[in-house]
Amino acid sequence: MNPKEYLQTILSDVLKEMDLAWPEKATIEPPREKKFGDLACNVAMILSKQASQNPRQLAEQIKNSLSSHTRDLKTIEIAGPGFLNFTFNKEYWLTTLDRISKETESYGSSDFGQGSKVQVEYVSANPTGPLHIGHGRGAAVGDSLARIMRFAGYEVTTEYYLNDAGRQMNVLGISTWIRYQNLCGLQIALDPDHYQGEYLIEVAETLHNEYSISLLDMPEERAVSICRERAMETILDGIKQDLQEFRVEHQIWFSENSLIQDNKVEQTIDWLKKNNMAYDMDGAVWFKSTILGDDKDRVLQKSDSTLTYFASDIAYHKDKYDRGFDLVVDIWGADHHGYVPRMKAAVQALGRPAQSLEVILVQLVNLLREGEQVAMSTRSGQFVPLKDVIQEVGTDACRFIFLSRKSDSHLDFDLEVVKRKTMDNPVYYVQYAHARICSLFAKAEERGISALNRDLDLKLLDTQEDIDLLKKMAEFPEVVASSAKNLSPHHLSYYLMELAGLLHRYYTVHPVLAADNQDLIQARMVLFNAVAVVLKNGLKLLGVTAPERM
């Protein structure tokens, strides 16, 4: 139980004795200034009217009653109009070490999600070209969020929506067909809206090696179809390989084309019509999105019977809910922000609350090299594939940097800066904290010092630096749960930076193996071992390794 949960539990017990219930609007948060204690609570101010007392009088009564419920509080002070400020004693913070030593790899996990079924869909890039660094950021966010939510007690399914139908796939087929014809000696130029990347030359070469020039003898529609399927298959294999190297998992690969083949799009349109959420006008089918907050009604099926992407998306989300998910999380590029209200409206039309769909927007990454921007465009072919970035700077650096800021904020990613092994590099800063502890343990072993003597008096850990580390480690389960609740993996990266900073400061202020007292040395090593566990657990949730040497 983290400090907030613990405090809320004992406060609830006190209130129950006073015939008062814990109010929904009560908060327990760290005060703005450390001098006011570890945590502050506003419960007395919220319940004063119900208790027929002024807030300070009620706070005093709560304070006096708490002494019979806990010995873990060093001080309880009443501040301002009735805030209760709490400071825990050192013995309470030391219990964190015992909990970490018992739970190890599971420390930080919880049942916060209570088994709620969640589907997280991410990347879902059209199979028209290799993944670029922007896709990588969305992949890191989605995969890490899934890890965090599972650790926090949610039942999570990860999914990739494969856009294997529609105009873009036809353009891919034509672009590959032209490249193939070029290899057969025909001088045919690509149009500006065709895919220009050289990766299609490689696809055309495999087709030429297999078919020689025989595709030229086929009806063009058949030849383009073969080119389209081969290009999609080759590109998709590359996408899967890149994601595997990036430590990104997708349990389900869902085909858009399967929705069409199984008539699920048409069935969804019929369902919307029957429920008075769609109508026919001017030969087209329209969705009544305005009655649910959209600025205008949207076309589902054009007058030429062509289905829109929106129609497929509604059918896809209906399929998600039909599979029993309580919450659907979509991770999209920031350029899709205008699409969010439309999909929220669609979800409500399907009979689900708007909050059963959460959309995380991911800003593109500004890829730099020594401060100079590197252009990215799939169609023009002028882009740096994600796999090249991974090969240059490593998966750890990529993932951590992608998760070092909120996903909808701009991110500059300078390849040269990320490769530097300095304390200015965030991923190095955190990983080095773990490696530093491992190095300390190796030196201790060389000197015959037992690293984890459990029979020590851990009260020797009495400096401010000790308490700071203990408090920060006690926060970890709450940080994980909060990251899951708010769908914000970057909170975890912030936390790890702070924990690493406290570790580096401690190492500077207290040279561990240089202490005169052997019991103190071993007590500090128990402390450091706990820090290593938390760092490793946190990094694992971000999909980043915790190296023992650097």
Side-chain angles (χ1 to χ4, degrees):
M1 188 179 298
N2 66 53
K4 287 185 182 180
E5 291 175 338
Y6 174 72
L7 191 55
Q8 182 175 335
T9 298
I10 59 176
L11 281 170
S12 296
D13 290 341
V14 168
L15 292 174
K16 188 176 181 180
E17 293 173 358
M18 300 165 63
D19 292 324
L20 296 170
W22 180 264
E24 199 174 304
K25 294 183 179 180
T27 60
I28 299 175
E29 299 292 342
R32 292 182 180 179
E33 297 183 45
K34 286 185 177 181
K35 65 181 180 180
F36 294 123
D38 297 321
L39 292 171
C41 182
N42 64 352
V43 69
M45 292 183 288
I46 292 176
L47 289 176
S48 62
K49 185 175 181 180
Q50 182 180 343
S52 299
Q53 299 183 58
N54 72 51
R56 288 188 66 91
Q57 286 177 329
L58 181 58
E60 188 68 38
Q61 187 177 350
I62 294 172
K63 172 183 175 180
N64 294 335
S65 299
L66 276 171
S67 59
S68 63
H69 286 264
T70 180
R71 296 182 180 179
D72 293 322
L73 293 171
K74 181 179 179 181
T75 62
I76 306 172
E77 297 180 352
I78 301 171
F83 280 104
L84 283 159
N85 291 338
F86 304 94
T87 301
F88 288 92
N89 58 35
K90 181 178 66 176
E91 287 72 21
Y92 172 79
W93 295 118
L94 286 171
T95 61
T96 304
L97 294 179
D98 185 55
R99 182 178 173 187
I100 294 173
S101 69
K102 289 178 179 178
E103 298 181 15
T104 57
E105 292 181 356
S106 64
Y107 179 68
S109 63
S110 69
D111 61 354
F112 177 82
Q114 298 184 327
S116 179
K117 292 187 67 175
V118 180
Q119 188 240 34
V120 184
E121 182 223 323
Y122 50 99
V123 185
S124 299
N126 295 334
T128 55
L131 297 179
H132 58 58
I133 197 169
H135 297 131
R137 189 179 190 186
V141 171
D143 183 75
S144 298
L145 179 61
R147 294 170 186 243
I148 291 168
M149 295 188 80
R150 286 173 181 148
F151 209 56
Y154 293 85
E155 183 183 333
V156 181
T157 298
T158 55
E159 191 153 315
Y160 188 115
Y161 182 53
L162 184 60
N163 299 103
D164 54 356
R167 178 180 176 278
Q168 289 182 324
M169 297 310 300
N170 291 331
V171 173
L172 176 68
I174 293 170
S175 302
T176 308
W177 168 236
I178 291 173
R179 293 292 196 183
Y180 168 82
Q181 291 178 91
N182 292 161
L183 292 175
C184 293
L186 301 178
Q187 301 303 312
I188 302 174
L190 292 167
D191 290 342
D193 65 340
H194 290 157
Y195 291 100
Q196 311 288 324
E198 292 189 2
Y199 56 90
L200 289 184
I201 297 178
E202 297 177 10
V203 176
E205 286 175 345
T206 64
L207 287 166
H208 189 262
N209 290 337
E210 181 176 346
Y211 290 93
S212 185
I213 62 171
S214 63
L215 290 185
L216 299 177
D217 297 327
M218 295 183 182
E220 184 168 302
E221 183 178 349
R222 172 60 178 157
V224 170
S225 176
I226 291 173
C227 290
R228 180 179 62 248
E229 293 304 312
R230 178 62 60 84
M232 186 185 74
E233 178 184 305
T234 303
I235 292 169
L236 186 57
D237 285 344
I239 287 173
K240 290 182 175 180
Q241 185 175 345
D242 291 348
L243 291 174
Q244 182 178 4
E245 187 173 348
F246 202 44
R247 306 186 195 122
V248 170
E249 167 221 55
H250 287 96
Q251 294 167 296
I252 296 175
W253 293 74
F254 192 100
S255 165
E256 177 187 4
N257 199 39
S258 70
L259 291 172
I260 298 170
Q261 291 178 344
D262 296 341
N263 294 320
K264 287 189 175 182
V265 181
E266 292 183 358
Q267 290 170 12
T268 299
I269 291 175
D270 289 341
W271 188 93
L272 291 171
K273 284 182 177 181
K274 289 177 183 177
N275 287 274
N276 199 31
M277 290 304 304
Y279 60 93
D280 295 311
M281 187 177 72
D282 299 331
V285 181
W286 298 74
F287 173 57
K288 289 184 178 181
S289 50
T290 49
I291 65 174
L292 293 168
D294 201 358
D295 58 343
K296 62 180 180 180
D297 288 348
R298 307 288 176 170
V299 176
L300 298 175
Q301 190 170 29
K302 300 176 184 178
S303 57
D304 64 357
S305 298
T306 303
L307 295 169
T308 64
Y309 284 116
F310 186 41
S312 295
D313 285 342
I314 297 177
Y316 177 42
H317 283 75
K318 186 176 187 303
D319 183 89
K320 292 182 182 188
Y321 293 118
D322 288 346
R323 282 184 268 157
F325 293 113
D326 303 305
L327 173 66
V328 167
V329 181
D330 291 352
I331 298 177
W332 298 345
D335 56 331
H336 290 82
H337 68 277
Y339 203 63
V340 177
R342 203 179 311 175
M343 281 310 306
K344 289 274 190 179
V347 166
Q348 292 175 80
L350 293 172
R352 297 281 178 158
Q355 60 268 28
S356 68
L357 169 66
E358 292 288 348
V359 178
I360 299 175
L361 297 176
V362 180
Q363 282 284 359
L364 283 173
V365 180
N366 295 318
L367 185 62
L368 310 172
R369 189 180 294 279
E370 294 290 7
E372 296 294 325
Q373 188 154 3
V374 180
M376 292 183 293
S377 170
T378 307
R379 183 157 292 176
S380 68
Q382 300 300 314
F383 69 95
V384 177
L386 174 63
K387 66 179 180 180
D388 290 356
V389 179
I390 294 173
Q391 290 172 1
E392 185 167 349
V393 305
T395 293
D396 286 341
C398 278
R399 288 190 65 128
F400 196 93
I401 296 300
F402 287 152
L403 298 167
S404 64
R405 297 191 65 184
K406 191 177 179 182
S407 63
D408 63 357
S409 62
H410 291 281
L411 178 66
D412 289 336
F413 190 114
D414 195 308
L415 295 163
E416 299 305 320
V417 172
V418 172
K419 287 191 291 186
R420 293 172 189 155
K421 298 184 183 300
T422 67
M423 298 296 254
D424 294 328
N425 183 342
V427 64
Y428 181 85
Y429 187 75
V430 175
Q431 287 184 313
Y432 182 57
H434 185 270
R436 200 170 204 176
I437 294 171
C438 294
S439 175
L440 176 75
F441 275 48
K443 290 178 182 177
E445 187 176 355
E446 291 174 1
R447 301 182 188 185
I449 300 174
S450 174
L452 300 175
N453 185 342
R454 299 298 180 191
D455 298 325
L456 292 170
D457 181 7
L458 294 177
K459 291 181 181 178
L460 292 170
L461 301 171
D462 58 4
T463 69
Q464 186 59 52
E465 289 75 26
D466 290 308
I467 302 302
D468 287 345
L469 275 175
L470 290 168
K471 287 181 179 179
K472 183 56 65 175
M473 288 188 289
E475 290 177 20
F476 183 58
E478 182 189 351
V479 171
V480 174
S482 176
S483 298
K485 176 184 177 182
N486 298 307
L487 310 179
S488 300
H490 68 281
H491 289 323
L492 183 54
S493 62
Y494 289 172
Y495 169 84
L496 293 175
M497 287 284 291
E498 292 171 353
L499 179 60
L502 292 174
L503 184 283
H504 292 311
R505 171 172 168 71
Y506 192 108
Y507 200 88
T508 302
V509 176
H510 304 291
V512 177
L513 299 182
D516 295 332
N517 186 329
Q518 290 298 309
D519 286 344
L520 179 58
I521 290 175
Q522 292 187 324
R524 286 176 174 173
M525 291 184 69
V526 170
L527 176 68
F528 270 37
N529 181 70
V531 176
V533 169
V534 177
L535 286 170
K536 187 173 184 178
N537 288 358
L539 286 169
K540 185 177 181 179
L541 294 177
L542 297 181
V544 177
T545 64
E548 297 184 2
R549 296 176 183 174
M550 290 184 73

